[in-house]
Amino acid sequence: MEKKLPELPQSLKDVAVFPKDPRYDEVRSNDYKVGQPKIVILAETEEQVRDAISYATRIKQEIDFPFSVRCGGHGLSATSVNDQGMILDLSHMNQIQVIDKEKGIVKIQAGALWSDVATKLLADQLVISSGDHGDTGVGGLGVSGGMGIILRSFGLTIDRVIGATLISADGERHELDDLNEPELFWGIRGGGGQFGVVTEFLFQADKVTTTDSELSIPMIVQTINYTITDLYGFTQAWHTWFKHSSNKLTSILLLNKAADQTITVQTRNFWYGEETPEARAVLDEALHLGSVSAKTEVTMNYADFFPDEHARIDGKNTSFGKNTLVTDIPQAIAAEMEKLLEPPFVYGVELRALGGAMNDKAADFNAWSFREAEIMIAYWVNQAHADEALRLFQPIQEFGQGIYGAYSSDTSTAENLRVWSNQTAARLKKLKQVYDPMHFFTQNREV
């Protein structure tokens, strides 16, 4: 007979959702997995976060009781939901507050969505580099990385975190910054959620000034479709182009193979800022990288790129993703990339331009240490063929220097070892021993 859960503390009774609750189906899943938790806590306060952690830790002393934290529910690793445990849902803790408009200091709770952040900051001409999708939660990205469409201008999302509040497994509240528990502050920026639950962040946003009265935070979005026959030659030209252009440029490619064995490349180039002669020259040069089959270009506010996304999340995304970080793409790796495009279950190979401001930080600036990387190679397939994808991606995996953990569906121990360099992993292990010696936070990537 299944053991009955102990009685909830009074603070959680009104925010708890059990399987028989009519709200259960709306709160148990993320984008990639339908969870079967015993309980979901829709926390609204730090006290409720603390009490949820304390309640779950008591149960876990007696039975296996997974504990997941969900903010936006977009996470590719799908660890924000579980079966037979507790999901701590922070989506109601979503406040966004501009503390100092001129200095760009912004306080954001972990449950806010990046589309809401971008819209809120637009009025004050402030911007924080985030991910590609408006439905991504601030909490997951704020501890894991954050490769967005203005990455080369501002680096990773975690590079702009200047403070945070964390509740650890013992229920203690930690106010973190460079002066207060600086080692833990270092670790949560790239170390993921393995030390506790971050309830809010303090960000250093960028203050934008423009001459265009209609656009507060302008950016140019250029889309180009190429048809190519020489993948190695194309990737070399693309790498040289973005590397030697302005940091205001970020570029993302999606490769697929057509029926005639040519390779199609769907390209999105993002120029952060107003149109200038420099911008025009860089974007025009992109039209000469390969045979162009279609192109568009639009100027918009940064916030306009992230539509209002508050749709119900139901676990129906069928994608499985792998990635690795590289400094270049030699001919042998380009040949392996072509092989990835052959099977019918493939959604595409993605190449993301890194470098720029991301490379400006030292390897030990925070717990995201692969600062020399210039390109991320990601492989997208139907999740039913994950095992085949792992085998096909292995030669490229071995060539890479590490991975971006939040952009991988592979939750194996071997994959976790690729997320951090040896030196970074050693520091994180010491932090784990101090702040979570009983290994309560195991659903996230863990050293």
Side-chain angles (χ1 to χ4, degrees):
M1 182 175 178
E2 185 175 346
K3 187 172 182 178
K4 185 178 179 180
L5 294 178
E7 184 177 1
L8 284 167
Q10 190 63 39
S11 68
L12 299 181
K13 289 184 177 180
D14 290 338
V15 295
V17 177
F18 293 96
K20 292 184 179 180
D21 191 305
R23 297 171 294 174
Y24 183 73
D25 283 342
E26 297 180 6
V27 299
R28 65 180 172 136
S29 301
N30 60 24
D31 204 24
Y32 297 87
K33 175 181 170 66
V34 177
Q36 303 287 343
K38 291 185 176 181
I39 182 172
V40 179
I41 300 295
L42 304 176
E44 298 174 353
T45 67
E46 280 189 7
E47 177 190 14
Q48 290 169 344
V49 171
R50 181 198 65 203
D51 290 349
I53 293 172
S54 298
Y55 178 79
T57 54
R58 291 201 311 272
I59 297 173
K60 195 165 185 176
Q61 290 173 5
E62 299 182 15
I63 61 172
D64 182 27
F65 194 69
F67 179 85
S68 298
V69 181
R70 185 179 65 181
C71 297
H74 187 79
L76 186 59
S77 61
T79 56
S80 61
V81 303
N82 65 63
D83 298 328
Q84 303 305 305
M86 174 189 284
I87 297 173
L88 176 61
D89 186 304
L90 301 181
S91 61
H92 292 277
M93 298 179 67
N94 56 19
Q95 296 301 301
I96 305 160
Q97 182 182 5
V98 177
I99 303 298
D100 190 318
K101 174 181 175 180
E102 296 307 314
K103 293 182 180 179
I105 308 301
V106 183
K107 182 183 291 186
I108 308 176
Q109 288 186 305
L113 299 182
W114 281 109
S115 58
D116 295 332
V117 174
T119 300
K120 171 75 172 179
L121 299 188
L122 181 64
D124 290 322
Q125 288 192 278
L126 297 174
V127 64
I128 300 171
S129 177
S130 59
D132 300 344
H133 300 280
D135 60 350
T136 302
V138 168
L141 213 60
V143 297
S144 299
M147 290 184 178
I149 60 175
I150 52 175
L151 172 139
R152 284 172 45 81
S153 294
F154 297 112
L156 302 167
T157 303
I158 57 174
D159 296 344
R160 291 303 181 112
V161 174
I162 59 173
T165 300
L166 176 140
I167 311 298
S168 52
D170 57 6
E172 289 296 312
R173 184 179 192 269
H174 303 263
E175 289 280 355
L176 309 175
D177 55 33
D178 283 332
L179 299 177
N180 298 290
E181 298 187 84
E183 186 69 3
L184 180 57
F185 181 54
W186 169 86
I188 66 163
R189 294 173 296 158
Q194 61 180 314
F195 309 114
V197 177
V198 176
T199 57
E200 69 179 16
F201 299 84
L202 200 63
F203 283 96
Q204 175 68 67
D206 185 55
K207 177 68 175 174
V208 181
T209 57
T210 68
T211 60
D212 189 333
S213 59
E214 295 183 2
L215 294 174
S216 299
I217 305 174
M219 64 181 302
I220 304 170
V221 181
Q222 180 190 58
T223 61
I224 304 174
N225 289 349
Y226 302 98
T227 301
I228 62 173
T229 55
D230 178 7
L231 179 58
Y232 171 68
F234 175 80
T235 57
Q236 293 302 297
W238 172 71
H239 186 189
T240 300
W241 167 69
F242 78 73
K243 181 175 182 177
H244 295 290
S245 66
S246 168
N247 286 0
K248 291 183 177 182
L249 172 75
T250 298
S251 182
I252 304 173
L253 313 180
L254 182 66
L255 282 58
N256 277 287
K257 184 161 283 191
D260 63 359
Q261 296 303 299
T262 60
I263 295 173
T264 62
V265 184
Q266 296 173 289
T267 305
R268 292 186 300 173
N269 300 320
F270 304 93
W271 181 272
Y272 174 66
E274 298 174 289
E275 181 166 334
T276 61
E278 180 189 24
R280 189 72 271 141
V282 170
L283 295 175
D284 285 349
E285 189 176 348
L287 299 173
H288 302 288
L289 297 177
S291 176
V292 175
S293 57
K295 63 183 178 68
T296 62
E297 193 171 291
V298 61
T299 301
M300 65 176 69
N301 276 310
Y302 176 76
D304 294 336
F305 185 76
F306 304 100
D308 184 18
E309 298 186 56
H310 291 84
R312 175 175 167 178
I313 297 175
D314 53 14
K316 292 182 179 178
N317 195 318
T318 60
S319 297
F320 179 92
K322 285 280 289 181
N323 74 80
T324 195
L325 305 165
V326 301
T327 56
D328 64 343
I329 299 178
Q331 193 156 12
I333 296 303
E336 292 295 338
M337 285 166 51
E338 284 207 55
K339 295 177 185 177
L340 299 182
L341 299 174
E342 294 289 349
F345 53 76
V346 172
Y347 294 158
V349 171
E350 177 185 357
L351 301 180
R352 297 181 75 102
L354 307 181
M358 197 200 83
N359 289 160
D360 293 341
K361 301 295 186 184
D364 62 353
F365 174 73
N366 51 34
W368 207 99
S369 54
F370 302 111
R371 296 292 174 167
E372 67 276 20
E374 295 187 11
I375 299 170
M376 180 172 71
I377 304 173
Y379 189 34
W380 297 100
V381 303
N382 185 293
Q383 61 187 215
H385 298 272
D387 289 343
E388 295 165 87
L390 294 174
R391 177 181 57 79
L392 288 168
F393 197 68
Q394 188 61 31
I396 296 175
Q397 187 84 78
E398 292 175 356
F399 174 75
Q401 54 196 231
I403 72 160
Y404 176 26
Y407 216 62
S408 171
S409 304
D410 184 354
T411 57
S412 66
T413 299
E415 187 78 338
N416 289 348
L417 293 174
R418 302 182 187 106
V419 177
W420 301 286
S421 67
N422 291 338
Q423 186 174 1
T424 298
R427 288 178 67 176
L428 292 174
K429 283 181 181 178
K430 290 181 180 179
L431 283 171
K432 187 71 173 176
Q433 291 167 2
V434 172
Y435 292 98
D436 188 23
M438 302 304 292
H439 289 262
F440 173 69
F441 297 104
T442 58
Q443 288 297 106
N444 303 284
R445 294 197 184 275
E446 191 179 26
V447 288

